[in-house]
Amino acid sequence: MYVYDEHDRQIAKERVAQFRDQTERALAGELAEEEFLPLRLQNGLYVQRLAPMLRICVPYGMLRAEQLRRLARITRDYDKGYAHVTTRTNIQLNWPRIEDVPDILAELAEVEMHANQTSGNCIRNTTTDQFSGVQKDEIADPRPYCELIRQWSTFHPEFAFLPRKFKIAMNASENTDRAAIQVHDIGLQMLRNDQGELGFRVHAGGGLGRTPMVGPVIREFLPELDLLTYLEAIVRVYNRYGRRDNKFKARIKILVKALSPATFSEMVEAEWAHIKDSPTRLTHDEIRRIQGYFTEPAYEALSDVTDALSQQRFEHKEFDRWLTHNVHEHKKPGYAIVTLTLKRTGTPPGDVTDRQLEQIADLADEYSFGEARATHEQNVVLADVRQDRLFELWQSITPMGFATANLNTLTDMICCPGGDYCALANAKSIPVADAIQRRFDDLDYLYDLGPIDLNISGCMNACGHHHVGHIGVLGVDKKGAEFYQVSLGGSSQNDANIGKILGPSFAQDDMPDVIAKIIDVFVEKRTEEETFLDTYRRVGLDPFKERVYA
Amino acid sequence: MPDVIAADGTVRNDNWVVVARPADGDSLDIPVGQPALIPVDLWLAGYEHFTGREDLGVWFDSHDEPELLGERVNELPLIAVNFPRFVDGRGYSIGRLLRERLGYQGELRAIGDVLLDQLQFMKRCGFDSYVLRADKDISKAGRCLNFFSQTYQAAADNDLPLFRRRAS
């Protein structure tokens, strides 16, 4: 993965000094609260319900073992000994003290980490597929391009005060979309044109939040060298013409819709014509230089292990389940991709303790060339595990709580911190996730149900991506009481769309029953080969509605 | 008489005055014997009358379009851009477009809700003078302009992004 050179180190160091100065001025009363607000947000620092929250950036999800160990130490020394993996693949601390944040940033900078632009109305952390570089159907590794975007967008002077937050995601797989690119402000789909040249299909104006939208395509093919100039053109048009009079209408999706995608695209093209040949245009040398940081690790020439694994599967049912659900195919023979799930019942989805962070670091060193990846589904991936060590790995991680074999099932939920922590939330989300996990505790039943994305957000800011859950749950405030609205049929994949609201909202205690009734309808209506989403698309909302509101 | 911060952080005093947009029906009241900045559209509307005056500049509000000035931009001794609220980032694009697209060579001044922590962005977007909001500590401007000795991307202050400088 990317390693800082002296320039990156210099910028990181100067950033810590700057934020220390800003914090001191804020604490001394020289900065009004509303003046400090965007400054601290652009450093990931929220002031929350119970304490500040610090969102630490994990660029496109990549973590080295030493970084995990430092995060563990920080959670122990400055927080309560646990952290939270977010849906933008970042890592959040829930209880730091504001006056400690500059020291935390200094500790992070020592291991090439930061909290830049993890919040605020600026360009956020670019996300991509957690299987980048190790999957078979990839056009090219997207991470070097994400790093190029990271550098271009870091402290971009023109785009520090956009109308609203701005999120970019990239997907390089031909068949799947694990990065949910169509529900981002800009979604980049890597592809090759008829001449075999690498580039991107550009979506703009997607997004979740209050007015969820699937982003239309504004350019069918953008050559790779033009990536940064084109992004600059899009963001400049948005900065100039996006609405600033109403926070709820300020995302780029509102501008794209109001202008029409075709008109928006024309404006971007007109702007781009002026800057496409500027020195910001990428060079093949620079792309190769960054790609040099993402070369393959020292894989050994291995063959796929089949007999031994079959025997181990036969002897250990639990291992068999785990292998089926939490382990994915790797592009190299003899290797496998392992997902460590952070979805054990009784623990808030995505939460990790300091000890677990260290365990992940040790596992990364022992099994996966010292690297791990955070996922937007709030799990952690070891991307390069030898197949002949899978059984041993499974034995190690079972007592650590990372082997819950529920990946992509109903209980592998995406869930925001909700009203337990977040000042923006209308309702709690963690207890709802917990109650549903307790209700659906039979793994065989979960496997029989097949892949179901259940996404829970505590408010319409949609950090839990509820709109694109096959089943989405949204916390709402009804006259001071917490209620939950359910939607069905959302998807963040290539067939992205926004779920439809089932009807009036429910009390928290009713939620497990509501989900159970929805699942019952699916089980009754489905044909043998159908997934939940297939059945929903065939039968529509009504049968679910009738049962739930009967 | 505003204190004006220069891009190097030094402070000087000058007597350019910003003339507010007149209410509908009222005429533009340009002071006599003092250099003045008037709304850009009014300067364009009275171009025949105003052209060639060294004591007259324009100011942009954040929704004004820099493209309006076209080739006349370099007839102006001073252009100011108003930041009505410091979180309104349109002025940064206006600054870059005036410098990089229209090739403006004169002085470019940030006015309005100009705070210390935004100076660095303004500088990079082509502003070379700043009128800090009156309640802010002007002695800290130099420090806040110079937190960073290195930048990743090209802007009005340097058209070469770091990757091209790394390569050379």
Side-chain angles (χ1 to χ4, degrees):
Chain A
M1 63 185 268
Y2 188 69
V3 177
Y4 282 12
D5 70 2
E6 72 270 22
H7 304 299
D8 301 292
R9 277 193 294 275
Q10 182 72 18
I11 291 170
K13 213 173 98 193
E14 289 169 350
R15 173 57 163 166
V16 173
Q18 181 192 36
F19 193 71
R20 192 179 294 281
D21 187 80
Q22 290 172 340
T23 303
E24 283 166 7
R25 279 185 281 127
L27 294 173
E30 293 175 38
L31 279 167
E33 171 51 31
E34 72 270 18
E35 293 166 10
F36 186 45
L37 176 86
L39 306 181
R40 63 172 166 76
L41 288 179
Q42 299 211 2
N43 224 320
L45 181 61
Y46 289 75
V47 175
Q48 286 292 21
R49 190 154 291 200
L50 303 168
M53 180 194 89
L54 180 64
R55 189 180 289 154
I56 297 164
C57 189
V58 183
Y60 36 92
M62 294 297 295
L63 286 160
R64 280 195 291 271
E66 56 157 357
Q67 295 175 323
L68 286 157
R69 291 194 182 95
R70 181 59 60 95
L71 288 168
R73 194 173 98 188
I74 289 170
T75 64
R76 201 154 46 231
D77 291 352
Y78 296 95
D79 205 284
K80 295 191 176 181
Y82 65 97
H84 176 76
V85 177
T86 78
T87 53
R88 282 212 83 59
T89 73
N90 292 318
I91 290 197
Q92 251 163 233
L93 303 181
N94 291 307
W95 311 92
R97 298 182 335 140
I98 291 179
E99 51 271 43
D100 286 341
V101 170
D103 292 338
I104 296 173
L105 296 176
E107 293 226 16
L108 290 171
E110 286 175 6
V111 291
E112 305 183 358
M113 294 188 80
H114 56 77
N116 299 328
Q117 295 171 210
T118 52
S119 181
N121 295 335
C122 53
I123 300 169
R124 305 284 189 89
N125 185 19
T126 300
T127 50
T128 190
D129 189 327
Q130 66 265 30
F131 294 169
S132 295
V134 291
Q135 60 189 331
K136 277 188 169 159
D137 72 340
E138 191 167 81
I139 292 148
D141 191 337
R143 293 170 300 170
Y145 300 91
C146 294
E147 175 59 26
L148 288 164
I149 295 172
R150 183 190 77 81
Q151 297 192 16
W152 162 78
S153 62
T154 296
F155 312 135
H156 197 299
E158 187 180 348
F159 305 139
F161 292 92
L162 296 172
R164 200 73 179 82
K165 59 187 170 184
F166 202 90
K167 300 176 178 181
I168 303 173
M170 185 182 291
N171 182 43
S173 159
E174 289 174 315
N175 304 306
T176 53
D177 176 10
R178 291 183 201 89
I181 63 165
Q182 295 185 58
V183 289
H184 279 75
D185 296 286
I186 295 177
L188 298 164
Q189 173 62 49
M190 194 184 285
L191 51 94
R192 285 189 189 278
N193 65 7
D194 295 341
Q195 289 76 51
E197 294 158 340
L198 193 77
F200 303 92
R201 183 188 303 123
V202 183
H203 296 257
L208 298 175
R210 189 173 289 257
T211 316
M213 286 183 205
V214 172
V217 174
I218 63 157
R219 191 170 230 279
E220 287 294 343
F221 186 80
L222 177 72
E224 58 175 331
L225 296 185
D226 297 317
L227 177 64
L228 299 183
T229 51
Y230 199 78
L231 292 178
E232 188 142 309
I234 295 174
V235 186
R236 178 172 287 164
V237 169
Y238 170 56
N239 189 45
R240 296 181 70 185
Y241 302 109
R243 284 182 64 172
R244 291 173 186 268
D245 59 325
N246 181 341
K247 183 183 169 185
F248 300 125
K249 296 191 172 171
R251 294 286 292 271
I252 194 177
K253 61 194 171 186
I254 304 290
L255 178 68
V256 173
K257 182 149 192 267
L259 291 169
S260 85
T263 303
F264 179 79
S265 169
E266 282 168 22
M267 289 169 74
V268 170
E269 295 284 328
E271 173 57 39
W272 185 51
H274 290 289
I275 58 175
K276 66 191 293 266
D277 297 318
S278 73
T280 295
R281 185 165 197 255
L282 283 166
T283 61
H284 286 297
D285 281 349
E286 173 63 1
I287 292 173
R288 270 194 295 272
R289 186 182 78 87
I290 301 286
Q291 283 171 336
Y293 291 105
F294 296 89
T295 50
E296 286 188 354
Y299 292 125
E300 290 174 58
L302 302 171
S303 309
D304 280 335
V305 178
T306 41
D307 292 353
L309 279 177
S310 304
Q311 185 63 25
Q312 287 158 343
R313 293 180 97 133
F314 180 74
E315 288 167 8
H316 301 272
K317 187 184 172 198
E318 304 274 303
F319 176 68
D320 178 48
R321 285 171 158 174
W322 177 78
L323 205 60
T324 303
H325 292 275
N326 292 19
V327 179
H328 284 80
E329 190 184 18
H330 196 287
K331 68 178 183 183
K332 289 283 174 198
Y335 285 87
I337 308 169
V338 171
T339 302
L340 308 177
T341 48
L342 306 179
K343 304 296 173 65
R344 187 168 55 163
T345 302
T347 307
D351 272 15
V352 274
T353 65
D354 58 331
R355 183 70 199 113
Q356 284 181 312
L357 286 166
E358 284 164 346
Q359 287 169 331
I360 296 168
D362 293 344
L363 292 167
D365 274 340
E366 180 65 29
Y367 293 98
S368 198
F369 300 100
E371 289 180 1
R373 303 161 180 214
T375 81
H376 90 270
E377 292 103 353
Q378 303 174 287
N379 294 311
V380 172
V381 163
L382 297 177
D384 298 297
V385 179
R386 285 175 62 136
Q387 291 174 4
D388 57 7
R389 300 189 70 190
L390 284 169
F391 186 73
E392 166 197 338
L393 172 63
W394 171 76
Q395 288 181 310
S396 319
I397 64 173
T398 299
M400 298 173 186
F402 299 141
T404 311
N406 62 348
L407 193 68
N408 299 328
T409 69
L410 182 69
T411 58
D412 179 23
M413 288 174 252
I414 295 180
C415 179
C416 74
D420 290 299
Y421 295 103
C422 178
L424 302 171
N426 290 321
K428 294 187 180 69
S429 41
I430 292 168
V432 175
D434 183 64
I436 295 168
Q437 282 176 332
R438 287 178 199 282
R439 177 69 167 259
F440 293 90
D441 61 350
D442 178 352
L443 277 176
D444 285 322
Y445 184 59
L446 290 174
Y447 299 152
D448 180 56
L449 296 176
I452 301 180
D453 290 348
L454 173 58
N455 297 355
I456 306 176
S457 304
C459 73
M460 73 275 282
N461 289 307
C463 295
H465 298 183
H466 65 277
H467 300 109
V468 290
H470 303 157
I471 302 174
V473 176
L474 167 66
V476 292
D477 178 282
K478 259 179 29 182
K479 294 175 189 148
E482 296 181 4
F483 278 80
Y484 298 87
Q485 190 180 73
V486 174
S487 56
L488 298 181
S491 168
S492 64
Q493 285 283 315
N494 295 333
D495 57 355
N497 67 285
I498 307 299
K500 280 198 182 137
I501 296 167
L502 192 61
S505 54
F506 307 97
Q508 193 186 105
D509 290 347
D510 295 334
M511 284 308 294
D513 283 342
V514 169
I515 301 299
K517 284 176 187 169
I518 290 168
I519 296 301
D520 287 346
V521 173
F522 161 56
V523 170
E524 289 164 27
K525 300 277 182 194
R526 74 170 166 187
T527 63
E528 193 134 346
E529 67 286 354
E530 276 184 339
T531 64
F532 179 86
L533 199 56
D534 295 334
T535 303
Y536 168 81
R537 285 178 174 166
R538 181 171 54 80
V539 305
L541 200 62
D542 288 342
F544 295 96
K545 211 177 198 167
E546 282 162 22
R547 180 73 54 90
V548 169
Y549 294 103
Chain B
M1 303 277 161
D3 283 326
V4 178
I5 304 161
D8 64 0
T10 56
V11 178
R12 67 173 193 275
N13 195 270
D14 77 17
N15 56 354
W16 280 91
V17 63
V18 178
V19 179
R21 173 174 299 282
D24 282 346
D26 289 357
S27 58
L28 187 67
D29 197 9
I30 301 174
V32 180
Q34 190 176 12
L37 295 162
I38 64 173
V40 61
D41 54 314
L42 299 183
W43 184 80
L44 284 167
Y47 178 71
E48 304 297 321
H49 184 63
F50 295 134
T51 184
R53 279 183 62 172
E54 281 298 309
D55 61 345
L56 209 56
V58 302
W59 65 274
F60 279 79
D61 213 342
S62 60
H63 59 267
D64 289 325
E65 308 254 327
E67 288 88 344
L68 292 175
L69 278 177
E71 291 177 358
R72 293 172 177 175
V73 69
N74 277 316
E75 297 176 25
L76 290 158
L78 177 63
I79 297 178
V81 177
N82 182 40
F83 289 79
R85 295 180 308 134
F86 76 92
V87 291
D88 183 342
R90 286 176 287 186
Y92 300 111
S93 289
I94 295 174
R96 286 195 71 183
L97 291 168
L98 285 170
R99 291 289 191 206
E100 296 171 54
R101 180 112 354 127
L102 301 182
Y104 177 56
Q105 302 288 323
E107 183 178 336
L108 184 59
R109 178 173 295 188
I111 60 171
D113 200 20
V114 177
L115 310 182
L116 288 164
D117 292 288
Q118 285 68 43
L119 295 177
Q120 55 168 352
F121 299 127
M122 292 168 177
K123 182 180 174 182
R124 295 217 61 215
C125 290
F127 292 88
D128 52 5
S129 70
Y130 324 89
V131 179
L132 195 67
R133 205 175 73 190
D135 62 318
K136 293 296 165 190
D137 182 355
I138 203 165
S139 71
K140 294 189 174 165
R143 179 172 167 73
C144 289
L145 276 163
N146 290 302
F147 277 117
F148 291 96
S149 60
Q150 184 57 274
T151 55
Y152 283 114
Q153 60 295 99
D157 61 337
N158 189 342
D159 69 355
L160 292 181
L162 180 57
F163 72 79
R164 287 191 186 264
R165 286 177 274 131
R166 271 173 169 143
S168 62

